[in-house]
Amino acid sequence: MAKTDVSNSTEITYLDGTTNIVAVTMFDRVAAEKYVITHGGKAGTDSPVLQNAYATYYALRRDKQVIGIDFNDWMATVVILGTPEEDEGEAEEDEDGDSLGKSSDSSNGQTAVSAESPAYSVPALA
């Protein structure tokens, strides 16, 4: 299994205690900026929390992990958004990018995700 690049991932923790990790792309971030501008904000760093939340929501919609729920209703189910932590046993690299070793832990730094996907549906992406 390929290693997930956590630098582009967001970990979502929901009110029911479940977590999910989604890759947030540049496309998702642009959609978030458009959303903020459309709703009275300014481009750039005017609303970083809102932009991050909407980019995460948009990534979930794009991946069809959130279906039929609008942004505000989805946000009402979220406790926190954050960056997934890398497994402490992950391979370290020296200055040349050569591996310095890796633990035998096969979790790959992933957080357990509830087996049930949320029962949401969202209108098709514009």
Side-chain angles (χ1 to χ4, degrees):
M1 174 182 263
K3 180 180 175 192
T4 301
D5 179 7
V6 297
S7 65
N8 292 325
S9 297
T10 298
E11 182 174 27
I12 308 127
T13 303
Y14 293 98
L15 289 170
D16 65 4
T18 59
T19 60
N20 191 7
I21 296 175
V22 65
V24 179
T25 66
M26 181 57 76
F27 183 82
D28 303 322
R29 294 187 192 291
V30 169
E33 191 161 303
K34 286 180 180 179
Y35 177 86
V36 168
I37 292 168
T38 301
H39 290 85
K42 295 178 183 159
T45 58
D46 187 47
S47 303
V49 173
L50 177 59
Q51 287 182 0
N52 183 47
Y54 193 79
T56 302
Y57 169 76
Y58 204 85
L60 290 167
R61 284 182 53 186
R62 177 183 37 78
D63 287 351
K64 296 179 177 49
Q65 294 182 46
V66 172
I67 301 169
I69 187 171
D70 70 19
F71 174 69
N72 289 326
D73 290 340
W74 173 76
M75 275 303 301
T77 69
V78 175
V79 174
I80 193 165
L81 301 174
T83 303
E85 293 183 20
E86 289 190 50
D87 186 359
E88 291 179 15
E90 289 294 318
E92 293 185 33
E93 295 180 353
D94 65 13
E95 294 172 356
D96 297 325
D98 296 324
S99 178
L100 297 176
K102 182 176 180 179
S103 78
S104 60
D105 180 20
S106 62
S107 69
N108 226 8
Q110 298 294 314
T111 302
V113 177
S114 171
E116 291 183 33
S117 58
Y120 308 127
S121 68
V122 171
L125 296 175

